[in-house]
Amino acid sequence: MPHATRPSTNESAFVLSALRENLRLDSRALDQYRPISLKFSSDPDVYGQTDVRMGKTRVICNVSCEVITPYSDRKFDGVFNINCELSPLIGAGVEIGRPDQAELLLSRLLEKSIRRSNALDTESLCIIAGQKCFHVRADLHVLDHDGSILDACCLALVAALQHFRRPDYEVHGEQVTVFDVREREPVKLTLQHQPFCVTTSYYDAGTIMVQDATLLEEQCREGEIVVSMNRHGEVCQIAKYGGVPVDALSVLSVVKQSWEKVKMMDSVVREALSKDERERDKGGRMKAELSAENERVMERPVG
Amino acid sequence: MAAAMVLLPGENIPTDKLPKPKKGKLTLGPGLQHTPPSTISATTAGSLQVDHRKAALWLEHAGGRYQPSVGDLVIAQIHHSSVETFSCALTPHTSFAILGQLAFEGVSKKTRPQLKAGDVVYARVSKASKWEDVEIECFNSATGKAEGMGQLKGGMVFDVRPAFARRLMMGTDKEGVSKGGVVVLEEVGGKVKFEVAVGRNGKVWVDSGSVRETVMIGHLLRGADEGGWDVEGQRKAVKKALRDV
């Protein structure tokens, strides 16, 4: 089976000449994102399932957890895994279990942005040090590929982590009771910050910068810079794997542009989360009454 | 013809729907299969279309997959060339179609066409069977003339659904009403000058003088295809787009 055809010379020449005139095929501005649609599961008992669409790109994320024994070298930490897969629904060239380079890069960038930046505080997942902890796993499936799958994946993942609730538990000495969802309201995860990824594709030796490229624009680009940061402007990582060289000042301006986009994505997620919360609370139950959670101090302990 | 009947794969056509053929022969089009003695069943999901005059039936389905059939005009992309032939892709992830290097107008063994990987040609399918490679040609082998086929230079290729491409190629009937229900190209052609080639494999090549106009035409095609605009909706969208350009 031959690989996916590269775009024809007519198409790549046209995309480039359109970009030189500041035009994109779907009439967006060069730095404009497609409208992002973020949906949560409609089932009231299910938390942590998201469905993100950016134009034709579609990603779903499912966060789940179970109780396991922590790693012996990390007694005080829980375990958090991210598993990202490109589904064969995207195209005939994709096989499950045989990740190609694009899939590997996608997993690696997600790991760097979310796990290594400690977005999810793994110490909060510990139940009894050295014996029991929560294992939170996030499974991402890319269902449709029209460019910007990393941006969509990161958004789906962060929204799912913020939406997810783990079971409540009580510790009496050595005894742990993990309550079922029907016994006690489940508890939200502790997220230190919410990182988002912004991919910037560039053309014409780095002079034209485009955000949220469609699949055709991605196939014609000379290279890409991926910036992960949160809404406070703290950069988690900057990645540029190969591609045509770009000068440093351009990279700095890309980071600044990405900050604006991250703020936009963050507001999309917040709005969707609060709307979902209002809908789930429709029965008039007061969440504050039902929750067994005490007021938590949200700073990290010193030392 | 009232509301067309929708069939699922494997369903048989009831005998009262069959047209009465004059010469005793019924022509079956795509999507239908004959099991002797007298059952006709559907092989794809679609709406049944009957032409009483020609005693023909076929299924119209809005599928996304193009299957080459002889006589179709397609837009092919050259993948690589070998000694005697070019290997072209009609659709992604399928086996290549073979285009002979001499299947062009006005070439001989000494003067071969200068086509490279990534070039796009307008061709006609000359051979299509399940067990052999598909073959295409860029000239009419009977007359030796190009008839509009050959390399397409410049412009832009837009992807549409094969069913939409078929509607685009349907042409107009006696009253001038478009048979396929797609009027975007004619409406835009009234105001903007452009060249267009429609490939039955779901590709439309458009070349207008300016980038902006080509982008607008592509946008209108996509809207008519995916947005499912009817004729009135298409006219309105064309008017609005022409005002913005």
Side-chain angles (χ1 to χ4, degrees):
Chain A
M1 273 288 148
H3 297 292
T5 18
R6 305 233 45 208
S8 55
T9 12
N10 307 46
E11 287 171 288
S12 30
F14 186 80
V15 166
L16 196 50
S17 54
L19 284 172
R20 285 187 184 131
E21 289 186 32
N22 259 326
L23 283 173
R24 286 170 90 168
L25 283 169
D26 43 10
S27 316
R28 279 186 284 158
L30 291 191
D31 65 342
Q32 190 185 349
Y33 263 76
R34 286 167 284 188
I36 302 175
S37 128
L38 170 60
K39 288 208 188 97
F40 298 99
S41 166
S42 49
D43 191 336
D45 292 327
V46 171
Y47 291 99
Q49 266 188 17
T50 50
D51 179 350
V52 170
R53 280 185 221 233
M54 273 190 196
K56 286 194 194 158
T57 299
R58 188 170 175 196
V59 172
I60 56 176
C61 178
N62 186 28
V63 175
S64 52
C65 78
E66 55 172 1
V67 179
I68 59 161
T69 322
Y71 298 140
S72 48
D73 52 344
R74 306 246 163 183
K75 295 207 182 83
F76 300 97
D77 284 329
V79 181
F80 173 42
N81 277 338
I82 305 175
N83 184 28
C84 182
E85 262 179 16
L86 296 183
S87 161
L89 287 171
I90 294 175
V94 178
E95 286 176 41
I96 305 192
R98 270 226 256 145
D100 65 333
Q101 203 189 12
E103 212 173 316
L104 288 172
L105 275 180
L106 178 62
S107 306
R108 187 185 308 170
L109 284 166
L110 280 172
E111 292 269 315
K112 279 210 292 178
S113 312
I114 306 214
R115 265 183 20 134
R116 299 241 205 105
S117 70
N118 268 325
L120 174 61
D121 183 16
T122 43
E123 284 186 1
S124 68
L125 299 175
C126 180
I127 303 177
I128 299 184
Q131 289 180 31
K132 294 231 181 293
C133 70
F134 278 113
H135 169 206
V136 173
R137 72 174 278 163
D139 289 292
L140 284 153
H141 295 276
V142 181
L143 300 181
D144 219 341
H145 184 12
D146 194 20
S148 282
I149 36 179
L150 176 60
D151 303 17
C153 282
C154 198
L155 199 139
L157 182 49
V158 166
L161 285 173
Q162 286 182 284
H163 191 248
F164 180 66
R165 287 169 190 250
R166 60 157 177 79
D168 197 5
Y169 64 87
E170 260 186 15
V171 179
H172 298 289
E174 291 279 332
Q175 279 260 328
V176 178
T177 337
V178 176
F179 294 105
D180 187 66
V181 285
R182 287 165 293 185
E183 296 174 302
R184 289 255 186 108
E185 272 291 293
V187 168
K188 286 193 182 179
L189 294 174
T190 328
L191 286 181
Q192 313 254 35
H193 66 114
Q194 294 86 30
F196 294 95
C197 291
V198 174
T199 311
T200 307
S201 314
Y202 55 85
Y203 307 80
D204 249 359
T207 46
I208 304 180
M209 297 285 183
V210 164
Q211 260 121 22
D212 194 17
T214 59
L215 182 57
L216 179 59
E217 288 170 344
E218 278 190 2
Q219 284 171 319
C220 304
R221 68 184 170 196
E222 291 178 355
E224 49 163 359
I225 302 173
V226 180
V227 177
S228 307
M229 58 201 297
N230 60 27
R231 71 175 191 277
H232 306 292
E234 295 163 335
V235 175
C236 307
Q237 62 96 29
I238 304 180
K240 180 183 177 307
Y241 293 112
V244 167
V246 170
D247 65 289
L249 282 178
S250 304
V251 175
L252 285 178
S253 72
V254 162
V255 172
K256 194 147 168 270
Q257 268 184 321
S258 307
W259 191 7
E260 298 304 311
K261 298 302 153 194
V262 162
K263 286 195 245 185
M264 181 267 295
M265 287 199 240
D266 186 70
S267 65
V268 165
V269 171
R270 274 164 192 272
E271 216 180 284
L273 279 170
S274 64
K275 180 165 162 238
D276 180 77
E277 216 167 295
R278 280 196 306 268
E279 285 183 6
R280 281 175 193 250
D281 212 10
K282 256 194 204 144
R285 304 182 300 167
M286 299 274 289
K287 278 279 186 261
E289 298 280 357
L290 287 175
S291 171
E293 208 178 23
N294 287 328
E295 281 294 307
R296 279 169 199 273
V297 174
M298 289 312 272
E299 302 127 37
R300 298 198 73 175
V302 178
Chain B
M1 191 165 43
M5 183 170 152
V6 172
L7 291 172
L8 293 177
E11 282 184 1
N12 293 332
I13 304 185
T15 32
D16 53 337
K17 294 275 182 183
L18 301 177
K20 303 280 175 290
K22 283 187 219 107
K23 290 193 197 145
K25 266 199 232 164
L26 199 55
T27 321
L28 289 182
L32 293 171
Q33 192 183 41
H34 175 232
T35 28
S38 53
T39 3
I40 301 181
S41 50
T43 56
T44 50
S47 59
L48 182 67
Q49 310 289 329
V50 178
D51 186 338
H52 289 274
R53 212 164 31 91
K54 287 193 237 174
L57 339 151
W58 68 95
L59 279 183
E60 289 275 0
H61 74 285
R65 195 159 73 109
Y66 169 66
Q67 270 156 320
S69 62
V70 178
D72 276 351
L73 284 166
V74 292
I75 292 182
Q77 183 178 328
I78 313 268
H79 188 265
H80 63 272
S81 62
S82 64
V83 179
E84 283 291 330
T85 58
F86 294 110
S87 292
C88 317
L90 298 182
T91 43
H93 298 293
T94 46
S95 327
F96 294 129
I98 310 280
L99 170 62
Q101 292 215 354
L102 298 177
F104 290 79
E105 180 186 347
V107 299
S108 65
K109 285 212 173 119
K110 303 268 172 75
T111 54
R112 288 172 193 260
Q114 298 292 325
L115 292 172
K116 315 180 295 294
D119 284 343
V120 160
V121 294
Y122 200 39
R124 175 178 286 126
V125 178
S126 58
K127 215 192 275 187
S129 84
K130 274 194 287 194
W131 305 280
E132 290 174 334
D133 282 331
V134 172
E135 284 185 25
I136 58 177
E137 59 186 12
C138 273
F139 74 148
N140 186 339
S141 37
T143 64
K145 298 271 176 229
E147 289 177 7
M149 295 185 268
Q151 189 186 6
L152 296 168
K153 293 205 178 109
M156 173 64 181
V157 179
F158 295 104
D159 287 326
V160 293
R161 282 186 281 204
F164 182 75
R166 191 174 122 81
R167 284 166 60 201
L168 270 176
M169 290 167 110
M170 267 187 193
T172 47
D173 63 10
K174 281 176 285 212
E175 285 110 46
V177 175
S178 162
K179 277 196 264 194
V182 183
V183 296
V184 267
L185 291 179
E186 285 84 7
E187 295 279 320
V188 177
K191 298 280 165 51
V192 173
K193 230 172 28 146
F194 63 94
E195 278 187 78
V196 66
V198 180
R200 184 79 174 75
N201 54 332
K203 295 203 188 282
V204 179
W205 175 82
V206 177
D207 188 12
S208 153
S210 83
V211 166
R212 194 173 280 274
E213 288 169 1
T214 315
V215 168
M216 172 196 64
I217 296 173
H219 180 68
L220 288 168
L221 281 171
R222 189 173 302 133
D225 179 20
E226 288 165 19
W229 299 338
D230 61 347
V231 176
E232 257 320 298
Q234 287 170 29
R235 288 215 173 95
K236 270 194 240 167
V238 169
K239 275 205 199 83
K240 183 164 175 293
L242 285 173
R243 260 183 298 147
D244 293 333
V245 165

